[in-house]
Amino acid sequence: MENVPCTMKAWIYGKHGKPEDVLKLKSDVVVPELKEDQVLVKVMASGLNPVDNKRMLGIFVQAECPFPTVPGYDVAGVVVKVGSQVKNLKVGDEVYGNIHEKALDHPKQYGTLAEYTAVEERLLAPKPKNLSFAEAASLPVAIGTAYEGLQRCEFTAGQSILVLGGAGGVGSMVIQVRLCQHYYMIVLPLWYDKFVLLDQLAKHVFGAPRVVATASTGKLELLRNLGADLAVDYTKENFEDLPEKFDVVYDCVGQCERAVKAMKEGGKVVTVSGAVTVPAFKFIVASNGADLEKLNPYLESGKVKAIIDPKGIYPFSQTLEGLAYVDTGRVAGKVVIHPIQQDN
């Protein structure tokens, strides 16, 4: 068993504000104590998400955890300690997951931008054997959002779907995932990192036989490489002006009012960002290790690939630069902090 120190390095903030003003790297943060259903994970990599910046700014202040706060949702690492009620995981297991069961309902005080993090066993899954820690850390929030959103839409065979968001996190997933059932899907521009994944899930997990994806001009080749049947430049075309309407519209970019105009009569619109226009509904992803385990075979077979921005890997000491890049809204795929343990 690894000798776990009493203190660790972690990025931490004690008040709300811009990350560059409030987020500090400290070396004397107490390693979190375990609850009986938790494991302690030695963090090898952590994925960044737009919500990290938004929480620091105080946008969700009424549902926040106490200060001081260590940000971070996505983790990939090694179990170094287990609680008394942990049933399946053991010391030495390589795992990944989103450590916050409810993303915006009083999340944990100590997140994943640290050398160690404590997380409930049920929120984790074994790390796919073929993925690096950085690749695994890029997935949990993004793939979880994609998967849960597609489930909530209650797809049936033959339905059409329009996904607003195609060059970020969830969108790249939706292009790649085509196995079980049959959907016709169009994926439209997205700059939030989590939404690239939707492309892969629609194809390989939910079985879409055809994917049309849109992005800005410079990202069209990414969509083609991921398997999009047609890549459309959204800077030259409005999605609500497409000649067809859709059974389901998945809005990843806060364009709900426009999304409703693209819906068939009697269809559904699901959104994960921005204001909601009737009849759309909104959801916030919930962490679930069991869902990650269901998706592991698609990741291990290579049918679904983790997508990290070409400029998207930052060492632990450059976490502020990584958060700033996420905030530009121009990320293709995900931004990851790696390595963490080796960056002393």
Side-chain angles (χ1 to χ4, degrees):
M1 180 178 295
E2 179 169 326
N3 184 21
V4 179
C6 296
T7 60
M8 63 180 180
K9 288 183 179 180
W11 287 93
I12 194 163
Y13 60 98
K15 61 180 180 180
H16 290 124
K18 296 179 180 179
E20 62 267 28
D21 295 331
V22 300
L23 189 62
K24 308 297 180 184
L25 179 58
K26 296 189 176 182
S27 59
D28 58 353
V29 178
V30 175
V31 172
E33 294 185 4
L34 286 187
K35 297 178 181 178
E36 60 186 13
D37 63 340
Q38 291 182 328
V39 300
L40 187 68
V41 176
K42 183 177 182 179
V43 181
M44 306 305 294
S46 176
L48 299 184
N49 296 282
V51 68
D52 296 315
N53 286 317
K54 292 178 180 179
R55 284 183 60 199
M56 267 179 273
L57 290 169
I59 292 175
F60 310 113
V61 64
Q62 293 184 341
E64 267 296 354
C65 62
F67 290 129
T69 302
V70 174
Y73 284 71
D74 294 321
V75 68
V78 180
V79 175
V80 294
K81 191 175 180 181
V82 300
S84 61
Q85 297 301 312
V86 171
K87 298 178 180 179
N88 298 311
L89 293 177
K90 63 184 183 300
V91 172
D93 285 347
E94 296 182 351
V95 295
Y96 77 127
N98 168 8
I99 73 161
H100 300 294
E101 185 164 14
K102 297 181 179 179
L104 296 177
D105 184 4
H106 299 89
K108 292 180 175 67
Q109 186 174 2
Y110 295 97
T112 62
L113 288 173
E115 291 182 311
Y116 296 91
T117 193
V119 55
E120 290 78 9
E121 179 184 32
R122 66 182 179 275
L123 305 185
L124 296 173
K127 181 180 75 67
K129 297 179 179 62
N130 59 318
L131 298 189
S132 68
F133 283 109
E135 289 170 326
S138 74
L139 288 167
V141 169
I143 203 168
T145 302
Y147 188 66
E148 184 175 346
L150 290 169
Q151 287 184 314
R152 284 174 177 264
C153 288
E154 299 178 335
F155 291 128
T156 58
Q159 282 190 322
S160 60
I161 180 169
L162 168 66
V163 180
L164 308 183
V170 176
S172 66
M173 281 288 167
V174 186
I175 293 174
Q176 297 179 69
V177 187
R178 51 168 88 168
L179 271 185
C180 306
Q181 301 178 17
H182 300 287
Y183 308 107
Y184 176 75
M185 173 161 284
I186 292 187
V187 181
L188 285 159
L190 159 87
W191 298 118
Y192 287 106
D193 55 356
K194 53 188 177 202
F195 302 120
V196 170
L197 304 176
L198 282 171
D199 298 329
Q200 302 181 71
L201 291 181
K203 278 213 166 184
H204 295 304
V205 177
F206 288 89
R210 174 175 167 79
V211 168
V212 179
T214 69
S216 62
T217 307
K219 293 181 172 63
L220 297 179
E221 191 60 28
L222 168 64
L223 302 183
R224 296 187 188 102
N225 289 340
L226 291 172
D229 301 293
L230 178 65
V232 178
D233 190 339
Y234 78 87
T235 66
K236 300 176 181 179
E237 191 170 7
N238 294 323
F239 65 81
E240 63 267 45
D241 295 334
L242 291 170
E244 58 189 308
K245 302 300 178 184
F246 302 88
D247 297 301
V248 173
V249 181
Y250 194 130
D251 173 28
C252 303
V253 293
Q255 295 289 337
C256 191
E257 185 174 358
R258 294 174 63 196
V260 168
K261 296 176 182 178
M263 180 190 70
K264 283 182 179 178
E265 184 176 354
K268 296 179 181 179
V269 174
V270 56
T271 185
V272 295
S273 177
V276 177
T277 301
V278 176
F281 68 92
K282 187 175 184 177
F283 83 98
I284 297 172
V285 65
S287 178
N288 187 339
D291 284 347
L292 292 179
E293 285 204 61
K294 291 176 187 176
L295 295 168
N296 273 357
Y298 300 100
L299 293 160
E300 291 180 340
S301 69
K303 290 177 180 176
V304 177
K305 298 178 176 63
I307 306 299
I308 299 175
D309 188 280
K311 299 183 291 184
I313 297 182
Y314 292 80
F316 193 44
S317 60
Q318 294 180 21
T319 294
L320 282 171
E321 288 86 344
L323 288 165
Y325 186 41
V326 170
D327 205 37
T328 66
R330 290 185 167 85
V331 176
K334 288 286 295 237
V335 172
V336 174
I337 303 301
H338 176 76
I340 290 180
Q341 297 291 333
Q342 292 78 12
D343 187 52
N344 296 314

